[in-house]
Amino acid sequence: MNLARLWTIARLELVQRMRTVSWFVLLGIFATLLAGVTLLSFFAFQRTEQSGAAIYSTVVYITLLLVILVSPTLSGNSINGDRDAATLAPVQVTLVTTGEILLGKFLAAWITGLAFAVVAVPFLVIASFGGGVQAATVLVSLAILVLETGIIAAIGIAMSGILPRPLFSVAATYLVVAALAIGSVIGFGLVGASITSEATNSYRTAVYDDTTGEPECKAGAENCWNDPEEMVCGEWQVDTWHVPRFDYVWWMLAANPFVILADATPTQFDRQGNAVDAFGALKFGVRSAQLPPELEQRWDECAPYEEQLFPNAREVIGKTVPSWFVGLGVQIALAAALLWWAWARTRTPARQLPPGTRIA
Amino acid sequence: MSTPGIVARGVKRSFGNVHAVRDVTLEAREGAVTGLVGPNGSGKTTLLLMLASLLQPDEGEVRIGGIDPIADPAGARGVLGWMPDALGAWQTLTARETIVTTGRLYDLDKERAAARAAELLSIVGLEDLADAPARVLSRGQKQRLGLARALVHDPQVLLLDEPASGLDPQARIDLRLLLRRLAAEGRTILISSHILSELEEVVDDAVFLIAGETVSAERVAAAASRGRMWRLRLADRDATAAALPVAQALGWDVNHIPIERRDLLLHFATDTDAAAGIAALVRAGLPVAEFSAATGLLEHTFLDLEGGAR
């Protein structure tokens, strides 16, 4: 691995990108979208205390979404596009190695994707004026955004090396990214709903007088409203039904880029123990899926009323396990494996050529 | 002088059912320009890809300057310069940037790459367009840029795939002089083309490739020595008027002398016969203004070989 050659490849890609007008148009559209989102977020969260955290997280999420939507088109035709333009072989015949070509292109695609994050920076600064944005949140969320951009860039470059046709490799990149971002949610929902457990609900109510509509009281008591001790109780009844077991499949969401971003970012809570930003809200939702459902419920009108407390975000997050590093690990392993496959397909002297392609 | 810069022995390569290269054995000498002659689809480009270390042969072995490009691609790439037939250029880069970038990929440092770019732009005659983006270059200009790119690391072995296509006559003459100079410096040059008149002017040796196979030296020699047409023009009369006196001087039947535009076409079996023929014409007092082979040697050999292959 020779750094000068690696950077020559990356620079070549970046210079060509910089000289196309459409690239700047794209960045302009992106900035316009972010400006709109930031403005709307200020309205949406104006009554929230420490609204800055909520607005900041929204802008980071929109940036991640747009990077996911745009990145495959920027990287997904890199290698096979060069082959079509007959500019790949003249590079392969130089001293540059296949690994350097792939990594140089990956680096360039990553930097290209990061340009979107750079465009988002002013809006993130504006968002933080709302207050409540913590340094740890900024550091971790941006680090994850940078990593996710790199992973998507790597998948795109790899696909362009694996598949011979630019159109298909761009589509395949979208499919892989969609499998992570959307497919994981669909899989989670469908598989979780298919695995069910039998849950029972045992309940009994007080006996009510048909004419007066008042609860019947035990002997000696006149009025037993709100006094379960004195009520005449009915028979216990039991209902059974099936509940989905999302606690068995919560890990399917671990490699979702949006979930990774939420799960990794340290959450700030308000006084009621609720998350203050979108990262925390999503993290709470995903972590809640780890909790097994209550399989035996009781409801007794004749027992003194016990207040059933649902755990708040702070409690749920406190008693469940983080998964972002596993998800990130899976994504990195996937990207690395695809890059290796692309390397094997692009290596010269070529043993086999993809059908229908010429090397030059 | 006679060390082979390029050696291929029993090289085969197929793509699925298509046997692009069936059996190629060739040697190209150092200090000489070797032509690779063959019709479209005869496997010239595939062979050059294998010589250029981009494609692995199914069988056989290749040496570039003594290096096996399969075992040591980096070593082979350091000594070979390859110019593809497809005009691939980075559209938004200037000619100068293209050469500098390629130089950097050949491990030249920045100063060396810049100096080399300036030198090569002048050699291939692109100085005026040095800072114009490649997308505005014409086909011939891109071709010259491709040649400059192949020369950037001063390679000892040059593999040129159709280098003259798209070049204007002046550029073609410049290319010829450049190739002769590079060969004179001791480099090995293999140049493919199906435009034979173009090759004729520049090559020292020729390798014939037909249907993926190199034609043996004996067959080439036999084809080359087979009789061919000579073109004759007399100074003082047109072809029709010249036919009869020429036939008489040679002792031929006038009806067997075809006329093509201003010239008579005479068939001689060997060069010796042709020499005897012109001597007879001169002895007869005919004013011979032009007497030349109607087809170049390469073209003649090639057409004969191809005819034999069919």
Side-chain angles (χ1 to χ4, degrees):
Chain A
M1 199 59 60
N2 175 311
L3 289 181
R5 294 194 300 244
L6 182 70
W7 181 243
T8 303
I9 294 286
R11 198 173 161 276
L12 175 62
E13 295 285 313
L14 292 170
V15 166
Q16 294 190 81
R17 176 86 66 208
M18 291 289 287
R19 291 188 186 167
T20 50
V21 180
S22 52
W23 162 241
F24 290 98
V25 173
L26 201 59
L27 283 181
I29 293 172
F30 180 68
T32 314
L33 274 173
L34 277 187
V37 166
T38 311
L39 189 67
L40 287 174
S41 304
F42 267 99
F43 286 123
F45 298 114
Q46 58 185 334
R47 270 174 256 292
T48 318
E49 127 189 43
Q50 299 193 329
S51 61
I55 300 167
Y56 172 87
S57 56
T58 308
V59 175
V60 172
Y61 264 129
I62 297 293
T63 308
L64 178 61
L65 175 68
L66 291 177
V67 166
I68 283 178
L69 289 178
V70 174
S71 227
T73 47
L74 296 177
S75 60
N77 60 355
S78 187
I79 291 171
N80 49 20
D82 274 8
R83 193 183 281 124
D84 276 8
T87 52
L88 183 63
V91 169
Q92 290 178 306
V93 84
T94 66
L95 297 179
V96 75
T97 63
T98 308
E100 287 159 7
I101 295 177
L102 277 167
L103 287 186
K105 281 177 171 288
F106 160 56
L107 206 59
W110 194 355
I111 294 171
T112 306
L114 288 181
F116 289 95
V118 171
V119 169
V121 164
F123 301 102
L124 296 176
V125 172
I126 292 169
S128 65
F129 293 160
V133 181
Q134 303 284 320
T137 308
V138 173
L139 282 179
V140 176
S141 63
L142 290 187
I144 296 289
L145 182 64
V146 167
L147 282 177
E148 285 297 329
T149 309
I151 288 165
I152 295 165
I155 292 172
I157 296 292
M159 284 300 174
S160 78
I162 295 167
L163 297 169
R165 299 265 163 268
L167 196 62
F168 289 119
S169 60
V170 170
T173 309
Y174 272 115
L175 287 178
V176 172
V177 172
L180 293 173
I182 302 168
S184 59
V185 179
I186 296 173
F188 167 78
L190 291 180
V191 179
S194 326
I195 306 172
T196 54
S197 290
E198 198 176 75
T200 56
N201 185 17
S202 318
Y203 62 96
R204 66 175 180 176
T205 56
V207 179
Y208 290 88
D209 187 291
D210 282 345
T211 49
T212 60
E214 304 216 342
E216 284 180 19
C217 299
K218 288 179 181 167
E222 271 305 303
N223 185 349
C224 47
W225 270 116
N226 291 327
D227 191 0
E229 301 276 326
E230 299 299 323
M231 286 176 180
V232 175
C233 290
E235 291 295 300
W236 278 100
Q237 286 179 296
V238 177
D239 280 353
T240 61
W241 75 98
H242 291 270
V243 288
R245 297 301 303 263
F246 292 112
D247 56 316
Y248 291 155
V249 293
W250 63 269
W251 51 267
M252 291 178 79
L253 293 173
N256 182 305
F258 297 94
V259 171
I260 291 174
L261 180 53
D263 201 45
T265 308
T267 310
Q268 314 297 326
F269 302 99
D270 62 13
R271 262 162 288 153
Q272 288 79 42
N274 295 316
V276 298
D277 56 19
F279 304 135
L282 182 57
K283 190 192 219 172
F284 171 49
V286 172
R287 293 284 191 90
S288 299
Q290 290 184 26
L291 301 175
E294 200 77 55
L295 291 182
E296 279 176 35
Q297 292 177 6
R298 284 170 72 88
W299 186 79
D300 186 357
E301 202 177 1
C302 297
Y305 181 63
E306 315 162 24
E307 197 180 359
Q308 249 197 328
L309 276 181
F310 286 101
N312 64 19
R314 188 201 296 274
E315 288 157 356
V316 168
I317 291 171
K319 67 180 173 186
T320 50
V321 294
S323 63
W324 61 270
F325 44 86
V326 178
L328 207 55
V330 167
Q331 287 189 353
I332 291 172
L334 172 71
L338 289 174
L339 278 177
W340 178 83
W341 190 5
W343 175 82
R345 297 270 284 186
T346 315
R347 184 166 43 146
T348 50
R351 214 163 291 151
Q352 287 201 309
L353 295 185
T357 58
R358 291 188 69 184
I359 197 161
Chain B
M1 176 63 197
S2 60
T3 332
I6 304 171
V7 180
R9 266 186 235 109
V11 172
K12 293 187 173 71
R13 173 76 209 204
S14 53
F15 302 100
N17 296 327
V18 182
H19 301 285
V21 170
R22 290 163 189 274
D23 184 11
V24 165
T25 297
L26 68 84
E27 284 191 3
R29 290 183 290 141
E30 265 179 14
V33 180
T34 304
L36 184 60
V37 184
N40 290 329
S42 60
K44 298 192 294 293
T45 294
T46 305
L47 175 61
L48 284 172
L49 284 173
M50 287 189 278
L51 298 178
S53 82
L54 291 175
L55 193 62
Q56 198 162 329
D58 294 334
E59 277 177 49
E61 56 178 338
V62 171
R63 293 288 179 277
I64 301 295
I67 301 169
D68 180 353
I70 305 308
D72 180 14
R77 286 165 192 176
V79 300
L80 74 85
W82 173 67
M83 177 180 166
D85 61 340
L87 302 167
W90 298 302
Q91 298 293 327
T92 54
L93 262 63
T94 68
R96 190 189 303 280
E97 287 170 328
T98 300
I99 302 173
V100 170
T101 302
T102 311
R104 298 285 288 142
L105 294 176
Y106 276 114
D107 286 352
L108 304 185
D109 62 34
K110 278 184 188 138
E111 293 72 33
R112 182 86 194 93
R116 195 69 186 134
E119 197 181 333
L120 285 166
L121 285 166
S122 126
I123 288 176
V124 300
L126 284 176
E127 294 135 307
D128 295 344
L129 293 161
D131 298 305
R135 94 172 80 79
V136 307
L137 298 184
S138 73
R139 185 185 158 83
Q141 287 160 346
K142 278 188 189 159
Q143 201 77 11
R144 284 189 263 166
L145 180 57
L147 182 62
R149 199 168 55 179
L151 290 170
V152 69
H153 56 305
D154 200 14
Q156 276 307 301
V157 175
L158 270 176
L159 304 166
L160 309 176
D161 202 349
E162 306 276 354
S165 70
L167 293 188
D168 61 37
Q170 183 57 50
R172 218 167 266 218
I173 293 166
D174 293 345
L175 174 66
R176 192 165 78 212
L177 295 174
L178 174 62
L179 292 181
R180 291 309 324 171
R181 206 189 80 205
L182 293 170
E185 289 166 5
R187 287 173 230 267
T188 309
I189 302 177
L190 185 65
I191 165 172
S192 94
S193 181
H194 52 253
I195 305 168
L196 299 166
S197 53
E198 177 186 297
L199 278 182
E200 195 103 45
E201 299 160 344
V202 70
V203 300
D204 301 298
D205 305 322
V207 173
F208 291 88
L209 190 61
I210 288 172
E213 292 179 30
T214 38
V215 178
S216 67
E218 298 81 58
R219 261 185 75 199
V220 173
S225 62
R226 215 155 290 162
R228 59 169 159 164
M229 288 295 189
W230 294 75
R231 198 175 279 283
L232 173 74
R233 186 166 62 81
L234 297 185
D236 59 350
R237 63 204 91 173
D238 68 10
T240 326
L244 191 61
V246 167
Q248 282 167 347
L250 293 171
W252 293 2
D253 181 350
V254 71
N255 294 321
H256 290 157
I257 300 182
I259 294 172
E260 190 186 277
R261 283 175 294 158
R262 301 174 306 160
D263 308 321
L264 298 176
L265 292 179
L266 308 178
H267 183 268
F268 292 106
T270 64
D271 285 3
T272 320
D273 290 356
I278 188 172
L281 294 172
V282 171
R283 268 202 308 277
L286 294 172
V288 176
E290 201 178 314
F291 184 76
S292 63
T295 52
L297 189 60
L298 275 183
E299 190 176 349
H300 169 68
T301 312
F302 174 69
L303 291 175
D304 193 88
L305 285 172
E306 254 223 310
R310 277 193 187 135

